[in-house]
Amino acid sequence: MSKILFVSSEAHPLMKTGGLGDVSGSLPAALKRLRHTVRLVLPAYQQLKARAGKLKTIATLKLTGTEPVRILEGVMPDSRVKLWLVDAPGYFDRPGNPYLDADGRDWPDNAERFAAFCRVTVELAMDRAGLNWRPDVVHCNDWQTGLVPALLAREQERPATVFTVHNLAYQGLFPWHQFAALGLPADLWHMDRMEFYDRFSFIKGGLVFADQITTVSPTYAREITAPDLGCGLDGLLRHRADRLSGILNGADYDVWNPQHDPLIAHNYSASDLRGKRLNKAALQQRFNLPPADQPLIGLVGRMVEQKGIDLLLAAIPALMKEKVQIAVVGTGDKGFEAELCAQAKRYPDSIGYHIGYDEERAHLVEGGADMFLMPSRFEPCGLNQIYSLRYGTPPIVRRTGGLADTVVDATSETLAAGKATGFVFDEPTPEAMLGAVRRALALYRQPKPWQQLVTTAMAQDFSWDASARQYLQIYAKARA
Ligand code: ADP
Ligand code: GLC
């Protein structure tokens, strides 16, 4: 049995901005179910502390360059995974988003904040906080934790390190003067270590120094070793290819299951879909759409270029001719938000858009829409399409990353074989996306094959167990 220190900057249900939160909430729980010992380390954000229930101070650390930091111990609400919070109030006790201020700009002290988080994690990993617990493996996630493998690499008798890339496009890049102010070992500023085109790159700490690197789907693991999606790091990843693998994210079916989801108006299952039709009515109402008898396309996601929001915007005039309704929940780029808002005003009977982060609406879209759109330009894994499958809301996705690994395109062959689960298109263009939407609409008009598609989608199983076992193999390799 391994002892695993799982390090992340967010974890559902305590703090979540996207899929990283889902994964960090559910993978540690899956590892625990497989009888491994897990401690989850998170920053003690203000909101998170308020939601975490009972916490007790178990250590106080004084590190050079940071204020005294307390370690608070608690448990994750549902899974009872043991939780260690890094309580550095100057860095984390502030309202709102973990990474952005109220205007959507990066907090100006992000380098300092996450460097402090990483340094404290290293002390925990080396059992220097007086807690008498030493992990075998430290599993780090995304750039916010990238310094951990880099600093641990300098230690004698250290635990093994695994670094998971959830999104290579977010790298944690900072100018020299901010690096200099961190008081880190000067040799990290080197192109073979953490310097990247004259900036300090947190993610390189993970990519260069971790014993094993993973990413969240097999296809994305291949894609990031090529220039197109390599974000300038493909050379480094090719160099470390023998240490890189892709493990598909799992879904937490305790949270995402139409049979007992408390956030949808009516529960339902593959054998009785009446609730789904009622949810559609509830969804239309919630988004101020008339109860029209038209196919309803849902989209939930960060409103950023990655998600292909521009493709949706460009396709709206053509979509309106198809007589569909569209319901969107999402926040992000202010330009995309404003444009979609304008379209919703222009077509009030057809487009409903909720700007913001809203879990209830996100679940209702999964439970009430007829199909789910994810036209991502790239997608390391993607969780919403996996949830859509379980909710019988066939996904329309671009063939990239985890979308390619989880959705089976409806062709005459896959339909005949009972294998089709959604609609897949290749080119990142509005026309290609429209082609897939039109195929979906054509099938929707044929109740029998549509019903078959929905049933096959709902039967797909992406639960964590298999993926958690693959992580255990990676931990073993990292330790070897
Ligand atoms: P990413 O991590 O790139 O944002 P994923 O598909 O992996 O994409 O995960 C996104 C997660 O965040 C899903 O659980 C989704 O429901 C949730 N989510 C994204 N945007 C919103 C929003 N505006 N309101 C509620 N939940 C959201
Ligand atoms: C990232 C990716 C998304 C992935 C999630 C969890 O935010 O954009 O594709 O599902 O991390 O791994």
Side-chain angles (χ1 to χ4, degrees):
M1 294 297 104
S2 311
K3 288 189 280 179
I4 303 145
L5 189 67
F6 194 96
V7 193
S8 178
S9 57
E10 53 182 271
H12 182 79
L14 297 182
M15 177 56 81
K16 165 173 158 183
T17 68
L20 173 63
D22 288 333
V23 172
S24 307
S26 47
L27 172 55
L31 294 165
K32 182 174 177 235
R33 281 197 297 277
L34 295 172
R35 305 195 173 285
H36 296 267
T37 311
V38 192
R39 303 271 186 277
L40 171 61
V41 189
L42 296 169
Y45 308 110
Q46 192 175 82
Q47 275 180 25
L48 190 155
K49 270 198 283 188
R51 290 181 195 141
K54 217 170 124 230
L55 295 170
K56 71 169 188 247
T57 303
I58 52 167
T60 305
L61 300 174
K62 178 78 193 86
L63 304 180
T64 37
T66 68
E67 58 182 337
V69 177
R70 291 187 309 159
I71 307 299
L72 310 179
E73 186 175 88
V75 289
M76 284 298 274
D78 302 320
S79 62
R80 316 301 292 166
V81 164
K82 197 172 269 190
L83 185 63
W84 283 348
L85 301 182
V86 175
D87 189 24
Y91 293 135
F92 302 121
D93 199 350
R94 51 180 87 165
N97 185 289
Y99 321 118
L100 310 172
D101 67 16
D103 297 322
R105 282 182 302 238
D106 290 344
W107 292 111
D109 56 350
N110 272 348
E112 253 183 87
R113 297 169 75 224
F114 290 105
F117 178 59
C118 290
R119 284 176 143 149
V120 172
T121 299
V122 168
E123 296 308 293
L124 294 171
M126 294 302 295
D127 195 15
R128 289 195 294 245
L131 298 176
N132 196 23
W133 189 82
R134 204 188 159 90
D136 304 309
V137 180
V138 183
H139 185 165
C140 300
N141 296 275
D142 272 356
W143 74 262
Q144 294 85 353
T145 64
L147 255 180
V148 174
L151 294 178
L152 278 176
R154 315 171 81 88
E155 301 279 354
Q156 307 279 324
E157 303 278 317
R158 65 172 175 87
T161 53
V162 174
F163 184 75
T164 298
V165 177
H166 295 263
N167 195 331
L168 196 67
Y170 296 93
Q171 302 181 352
L173 297 175
F174 300 95
W176 155 260
H177 70 92
Q178 287 199 28
F179 166 72
L182 296 176
L184 290 167
D187 62 68
L188 289 179
W189 187 273
H190 186 285
M191 62 179 283
D192 292 336
R193 299 186 193 107
M194 293 177 72
E195 185 263 356
F196 185 64
Y197 297 101
D198 218 25
R199 287 193 284 175
F200 187 64
S201 162
F202 270 59
I203 202 171
K204 276 187 77 179
L207 302 182
V208 172
F209 291 103
D211 298 315
Q212 288 287 322
I213 306 165
T214 72
T215 187
V216 288
S217 69
T219 294
Y220 193 60
R222 283 192 301 278
E223 288 170 339
I224 56 178
T225 59
D228 237 18
L229 293 181
C231 301
L233 293 163
D234 47 295
L236 168 57
L237 287 164
R238 281 195 300 278
H239 177 66
R240 300 213 74 205
D242 57 330
R243 310 246 177 181
L244 170 66
S245 39
I247 302 178
L248 206 58
N249 285 335
D252 184 344
Y253 291 127
D254 287 334
V255 178
W256 295 96
N257 183 341
Q259 278 178 273
H260 53 69
D261 182 341
L263 297 179
I264 58 177
H266 303 274
N267 291 119
Y268 60 94
S269 65
S271 57
D272 183 355
L273 288 162
R274 276 173 301 179
K276 184 152 182 66
R277 284 189 284 278
L278 298 172
N279 286 330
K280 181 169 174 180
L283 174 62
Q284 286 167 322
Q285 206 174 22
R286 195 94 168 93
F287 282 76
N288 291 321
L289 294 169
D293 186 19
Q294 290 179 351
L296 199 161
I297 302 175
L299 188 154
V300 178
R302 295 179 293 113
M303 297 282 111
V304 295
E305 202 177 285
Q306 173 193 346
K307 301 291 174 183
I309 303 302
D310 52 320
L311 302 183
L312 169 66
L313 288 166
I316 282 179
L319 283 170
M320 292 299 95
K321 291 199 185 115
E322 301 288 339
K323 302 266 176 288
V324 296
Q325 290 183 321
I326 302 174
V328 181
V329 191
T331 172
D333 182 287
K334 300 293 165 216
F336 286 148
E337 288 180 358
E339 260 189 78
L340 193 53
C341 238
Q343 298 287 3
K345 280 215 178 83
R346 184 155 175 218
Y347 303 104
D349 289 347
S350 306
I351 304 179
Y353 175 33
H354 177 80
I355 301 187
Y357 181 87
D358 184 325
E359 289 197 5
E360 193 223 311
R361 280 190 175 83
H363 283 247
L364 194 55
V365 168
E366 295 286 7
D370 294 304
M371 40 198 91
F372 193 93
L373 185 61
M374 247 173 123
S376 306
R377 291 179 178 277
F378 68 95
E379 196 61 78
C381 177
L383 289 164
N384 276 310
Q385 84 282 11
I386 297 179
Y387 304 151
S388 304
L389 291 168
R390 182 50 61 102
Y391 281 72
T393 312
I396 303 169
V397 304
R398 195 165 98 73
R399 197 185 314 278
T400 181
L403 300 176
D405 294 339
T406 52
V407 181
V408 179
D409 188 31
T411 61
S412 45
E413 292 81 34
T414 58
L415 283 167
K419 292 200 167 133
T421 60
F423 304 87
V424 185
F425 62 97
D426 286 284
E427 292 305 310
T429 60
E431 293 73 30
M433 188 194 85
L434 276 165
V437 172
R438 289 192 181 111
R439 285 196 291 128
L441 296 174
L443 199 70
Y444 179 81
R445 286 183 215 111
Q446 306 171 47
K448 259 213 160 143
W450 183 261
Q451 171 78 25
Q452 162 80 59
L453 180 79
V454 166
T455 315
T456 310
M458 292 180 84
Q460 301 304 303
D461 185 1
F462 291 99
S463 46
W464 264 110
D465 195 65
S467 296
R469 287 178 202 275
Q470 291 182 48
Y471 276 107
L472 291 173
Q473 287 171 8
I474 296 295
Y475 297 160
K477 271 197 202 167
R479 291 174 71 179

